[in-house]
Amino acid sequence: MTADRLFGIFLLLLGAYVFYGGLNIEVPFAYDPLGPSAFPIGMGAVLFVLSLFVIAKPKATQFPNLNTKLKTVVIVILLIIYQAIFNQLGFIISTLLLVYAISTIFKGTPKQALGSAIGVSISVYILFKNLLDIPLPTGELIAPLLGV
């Protein structure tokens, strides 16, 4: 049995466990028509079905080259830094810096990286703040400058 099939069996069992766990979630009051169990049930079902494909037809894997691995490590480090500066700089500035850095990693010109960083940070901020009504941090360093 290949490692892919063993991993597929692990994912199958994990999917069944998550699905079963979602069925057993009980809430004293219903604040949502679907309830909190809809997400784990859906994720467990998707994981269960997709793991069947891994078990049935594993493919030969090709490991990424060193350049791709290095980019992945740098992006993980950037995400850790993003999480660390999120409350101090606020959503817009920290997201702008993150998107700019990731854009330059993927060989975007400084102009392209800045444009995508501004576009992503502002559009996601508007989506969360205005449409989804989810408050995002202004930033402890920026709030006094804005008078917030």
Side-chain angles (χ1 to χ4, degrees):
M1 190 175 296
T2 65
D4 289 341
R5 285 203 169 104
L6 285 174
F7 186 64
I9 292 170
F10 168 74
L11 292 177
L12 180 86
L13 295 173
L14 181 64
Y17 176 74
V18 170
F19 185 86
Y20 178 73
L23 291 175
N24 292 327
I25 294 176
E26 294 181 21
V27 181
F29 58 91
Y31 56 89
D32 187 9
L34 295 175
S37 64
F39 184 75
I41 289 172
M43 291 304 295
V46 168
L47 185 59
F48 187 89
V49 170
L50 293 178
S51 67
L52 294 174
F53 289 106
V54 174
I55 294 169
K57 195 172 186 178
K59 294 185 178 183
T61 56
Q62 288 184 340
F63 293 99
N65 60 18
L66 182 62
N67 190 22
T68 305
K69 289 180 185 177
L70 183 62
K71 286 180 182 178
T72 304
V73 169
V74 170
I75 290 173
V76 168
I77 292 169
L78 285 172
L79 289 171
I80 292 169
I81 293 169
Y82 175 76
Q83 186 271 332
I85 66 171
F86 189 73
N87 285 328
Q88 285 78 24
L89 294 180
F91 176 81
I92 292 178
I93 293 175
S94 57
T95 303
L96 188 136
L97 294 172
L98 176 72
V99 174
Y100 183 85
I102 291 175
S103 297
T104 54
I105 287 172
F106 287 106
K107 298 186 169 90
T109 64
K111 190 175 182 180
Q112 291 170 332
L114 185 62
S116 63
I118 291 170
V120 167
S121 61
I122 291 175
S123 61
V124 171
Y125 182 81
I126 290 171
L127 173 75
F128 274 77
K129 184 90 169 165
N130 297 336
L131 298 177
L132 298 175
D133 201 26
I134 298 174
L136 295 170
T138 307
E140 296 169 3
L141 300 175
I142 308 300
L145 299 174
L146 298 175
V148 178

